[in-house]
Amino acid sequence: MTVTTPVIPEAGEGIAPTGQSLEHEYLYARQEASRQTGPLGNPLRAGMPFDRVPDACTMVIFGVTGDLTARKLMPALYDLAVDHPLPEGFSVVGVSHRDWSDDDFRAVMKEAVTKSARTQVTEESWAMFARGLRYVQGDFKDPGLYVTLGERLTAIDEERRTGGNRLFYLATSPSYFTPIIANLGGSGVAKRQDIFSDPNENWHRVVIEKPFGRDITSARGLIQEMAAVFSERQIYRIDHYLGKETVQNVLAFRFANILFEPVFNRSYVDHVQITAAEAIGVEGRGGYYEEAGALRDMVQSHILQLLTVVAMEPPANFDGNAVRDEKVKVLRSVKPPTGDEVSVKTVRGQYVGGSSGGRHVGSYRTERGVEAESATETFAALKLEIDNWRWADVPFYLRTGKRLPRRVTEIAIEFKKVPHLMFQNMAGTDVTDVAPNVLTMRIQPDEGIALRFAAKVPGPTTRLRTVRMDFFYGASFGEAGPDAYERLLLDAMLGDPTLFARRDEVETAWSLVQPILDGWDDGATPTVPYESGSWGPREADDLIERDGRRWRRP
Ligand code: BG6
């Protein structure tokens, strides 16, 4: 079949001969082109439906001058606008204290998008996207800002027909969350909508970036403050790991195949290892990191999310509440170490100088914004147990750290040994190289799934060796897929909360981490040094080797 790719008209303002706006014609043609060549310009994904088009809306980004907007949010929005149908009239209002005009904002964003977007930035497509960008300057704590913002939003609704739909995005430092939320509510710029609200009226939603608090008490406080202005169905707590294609693929792998689910349990699984290793250091975020540390920054959020997707029971269906009910259920079954167990089942490390990526790097304590005597952990390892029918007695070993040898995130399910190896003790056999089966789900990079199993080495003797069967996303689908933020921003605009953390999920995750934080505060587990470029402190090896197991070298 010959496919003719539609000619994409020039983007511009005005009306096309069809009677539609030029913007409409332009967006339509781009989407048609994407539909035929695949959403990522990728023939292996051609024909995928574009059935998820949100309503026209305005996204308001608080803290728009920060790193997150430049590296993630704006490139993701641009890629969505180019590759996926973002609605006609879609607009962004950036809010920050910096003295910028709309044009300054557009210029900075163009540079950021050119650097970080997945798709190419052309003059036409940028012009189309940039028309929807506006900037409002002000102090987040000043009620006057919200008056100006409200006026600007009303003007955009008229000019770009965004229908009063608003997505507020808090990309600021956490100290501003409370004043922004209170002012949004107090000024009427955001209105509360609950199940009794008219489903046909315009919608207001808020997306909030982690950290959702720094301990269970502050997390509960933030939950209450948000609940005073927004109903739970309006709140989208973002954890970008859930937007990663490969994390969602864990669910597809488990629940769309008959083969593996029957062995995902204590009868067959010896233990599970979850690793989220980074080669980078704190990259200028010393101030934030001093307050957070690896346990709050990575374990409380991303790693517990990975644990839930691998350990939860099959949800009734793929909808927001069904999936999140199961996630909360499994989190509630996790037994965190408490009291004396903390020093045995957790390790906290901090990088000292060493070699990373072939160059010498300094210690954490010499990073900008870090105390000279800091005890903040840049590495954490822990052993958790899940007290339920499926996983009782199957340890979950988790580790994460900065300045490790390379960037790799994976979940490895290590199965039990076979009960009897019939090849053993036979003359002419060699079974020394046979290790138990391991199923590895590689979240990043080299996204894919690998299965390790034993095979016979060809030849007249019975030699067995461990081999791997590999599935690579890249080979099967051309490339790994859109950035996590694209998926999550689109879901928030569509009002689909499945991949966002629900209030009880956040609270339960904090309740698991809190006893560890308390134990650490009591000095139970001193922070131990590890060399940059190593796999973490010796104590992390001890943690798992005490159980007769070893960390994988991913
Ligand atoms: C962020 C953490 O949430 O996730 C960072 O604050 C970390 O410290 C980052 O580097 C890791 O994300 P990714 O997608 O690069 O694995």
Side-chain angles (χ1 to χ4, degrees):
M1 189 180 79
T2 330
V3 175
T4 42
T5 308
V7 179
I8 299 176
E10 279 199 12
E13 278 171 287
I15 302 294
T18 54
Q20 297 280 7
S21 72
L22 282 174
E23 184 178 355
H24 174 93
E25 292 293 310
Y26 177 83
L27 285 172
Y28 179 79
R30 284 215 73 115
Q31 286 147 24
E32 245 339 272
S34 287
R35 195 195 307 276
Q36 290 180 12
T37 56
L40 304 172
N42 168 359
L44 289 167
R45 302 179 63 164
M48 284 182 46
F50 280 105
D51 53 356
R52 309 184 79 230
V53 186
D55 303 327
C57 59
T58 303
M59 177 166 166
V60 180
I61 305 178
F62 290 93
V64 81
T65 49
D67 188 50
L68 182 72
T69 308
R71 278 193 316 112
K72 294 289 182 188
L73 302 181
M74 208 50 82
L77 289 171
Y78 176 80
D79 286 330
L80 274 175
V82 167
D83 245 356
H84 194 98
L86 270 193
E88 188 182 341
F90 171 74
S91 307
V92 179
V93 177
V95 186
S96 190
H97 58 269
R98 216 170 280 183
D99 184 12
W100 278 355
S101 65
D102 285 352
D103 282 339
D104 294 335
F105 175 48
R106 290 180 186 131
V108 177
M109 291 303 119
K110 185 176 184 188
E111 201 174 306
V113 168
T114 307
K115 189 161 162 218
S116 304
R118 187 170 49 71
T119 52
Q120 210 199 338
V121 175
T122 63
E123 287 308 318
E124 297 101 291
S125 54
W126 178 257
M128 183 264 307
F129 181 73
R131 260 206 302 282
L133 302 187
R134 306 281 190 281
Y135 184 77
V136 171
Q137 184 208 354
D139 173 351
F140 301 136
K141 295 186 174 166
D142 171 16
L145 165 66
Y146 299 82
V147 177
T148 316
L149 178 62
E151 289 165 1
R152 208 78 209 265
L153 288 171
T154 309
I156 292 173
D157 284 340
E158 268 181 34
E159 190 191 321
R160 295 182 56 80
R161 296 197 297 268
T162 36
N165 297 317
R166 292 167 189 179
L167 184 67
F168 300 100
Y169 198 112
L170 308 194
T172 64
S173 117
S175 59
Y176 291 118
F177 291 169
T178 305
I180 292 174
I181 289 160
N183 276 303
L184 280 174
S187 63
V189 169
K191 62 176 179 237
R192 188 182 180 82
Q193 294 168 324
D194 53 29
I195 45 165
F196 304 111
S197 305
D198 177 358
N200 297 317
E201 75 173 0
N202 53 25
W203 49 259
H204 290 184
R205 299 183 190 126
V206 58
V207 184
I208 179 166
E209 269 288 336
K210 73 182 225 327
F212 316 120
R214 55 177 320 275
D215 53 21
I216 185 126
T217 314
S218 54
R220 284 189 178 134
L222 182 59
I223 285 170
Q224 296 300 344
E225 280 155 11
M226 293 197 78
V229 175
F230 295 100
S231 73
E232 181 63 21
R233 67 207 306 261
Q234 293 176 279
I235 302 172
Y236 290 72
R237 299 178 191 86
I238 206 164
D239 182 313
H240 77 279
Y241 266 54
L242 282 178
K244 289 184 191 274
E245 289 280 328
T246 36
V247 175
Q248 293 161 53
N249 193 42
V250 175
L251 298 179
F253 181 79
R254 288 190 60 199
F255 303 131
N257 293 292
I258 191 81
L259 218 51
F260 303 100
E261 200 47 27
V263 294
F264 260 53
N265 58 52
R266 66 193 303 270
S267 304
Y268 295 96
V269 176
D270 178 75
H271 73 280
V272 177
Q273 294 189 19
I274 302 181
T275 300
E278 294 184 277
I280 55 170
V282 290
E283 307 293 292
R285 294 161 75 220
Y288 155 77
Y289 207 81
E290 277 288 271
E291 290 292 306
L295 191 67
R296 291 184 176 93
D297 185 48
M298 291 293 289
V299 178
Q300 188 275 339
S301 48
H302 308 324
I303 296 200
L304 285 181
Q305 289 291 352
L306 296 180
L307 180 138
T308 56
V309 291
V310 81
M312 72 191 210
E313 295 300 319
N317 51 45
F318 195 46
D319 105 353
N321 276 332
V323 171
R324 296 184 302 173
D325 285 348
E326 291 304 336
K327 287 169 71 191
V328 173
K329 200 166 96 191
V330 74
L331 281 178
R332 289 206 176 117
S333 307
V334 174
K335 232 174 48 185
T338 52
D340 292 346
E341 288 173 337
V342 173
S343 59
V344 184
K345 294 186 178 173
T346 71
V347 172
R348 55 196 306 221
Q350 188 188 82
Y351 62 80
V352 295
S355 155
S356 175
R359 66 189 173 97
H360 180 79
V361 292
S363 68
Y364 172 70
R365 289 181 179 181
T366 60
E367 302 270 4
R368 189 157 35 93
V370 172
E371 295 284 319
E373 300 288 304
S374 170
T376 301
E377 79 287 352
T378 57
F379 175 99
L382 40 148
K383 174 181 171 183
L384 293 181
E385 272 140 73
I386 303 181
D387 240 358
N388 65 15
W389 276 62
R390 189 192 279 263
W391 295 115
D393 303 325
V394 178
F396 280 65
Y397 299 99
L398 321 179
R399 65 179 161 164
T400 183
K402 298 212 183 268
R403 287 265 187 257
L404 300 187
R406 61 198 193 90
R407 175 176 188 244
V408 57
T409 303
E410 64 164 44
I411 304 170
I413 323 277
E414 185 147 338
F415 290 91
K416 295 189 169 173
K417 291 193 181 112
V418 290
H420 168 63
L421 195 58
M422 67 171 182
F423 309 98
Q424 238 156 7
N425 307 325
M426 261 172 59
T429 59
D430 176 5
V431 294
T432 45
D433 194 20
V434 176
N437 297 130
V438 178
L439 180 76
T440 314
M441 306 193 204
R442 283 189 310 264
I443 308 298
Q444 60 191 22
D446 306 328
E447 291 81 356
I449 295 175
L451 183 64
R452 185 175 85 179
F453 59 99
K456 179 183 176 301
V457 179
T461 55
T462 306
R463 275 181 61 215
L464 300 185
R465 197 187 318 141
T466 301
V467 294
R468 278 164 68 103
M469 199 153 70
D470 263 308
F471 150 71
F472 287 103
Y473 250 83
S476 297
F477 297 112
E479 50 192 286
D483 185 77
Y485 276 92
E486 285 179 59
R487 169 68 194 256
L488 295 174
L489 289 172
L490 185 64
D491 281 3
M493 288 180 216
L494 287 162
D496 180 352
T498 312
L499 300 177
F500 293 83
R502 206 169 59 187
R503 158 191 184 144
D504 49 352
E505 205 176 332
V506 170
E507 268 191 90
T508 315
W510 272 117
S511 71
L512 300 180
V513 163
Q514 191 63 48
I516 304 175
L517 289 171
D518 292 343
W520 288 3
D521 283 349
D522 292 347
T525 313
T527 307
V528 287
Y530 63 96
E531 201 177 312
S532 288
S534 74
W535 279 103
R538 172 71 229 165
E539 286 77 355
D541 294 333
D542 296 342
L543 171 104
I544 190 167
E545 286 170 14
R546 271 198 294 275
D547 295 345
R549 303 180 175 103
R550 299 181 71 103
W551 290 112
R552 292 169 37 78
R553 285 288 171 258

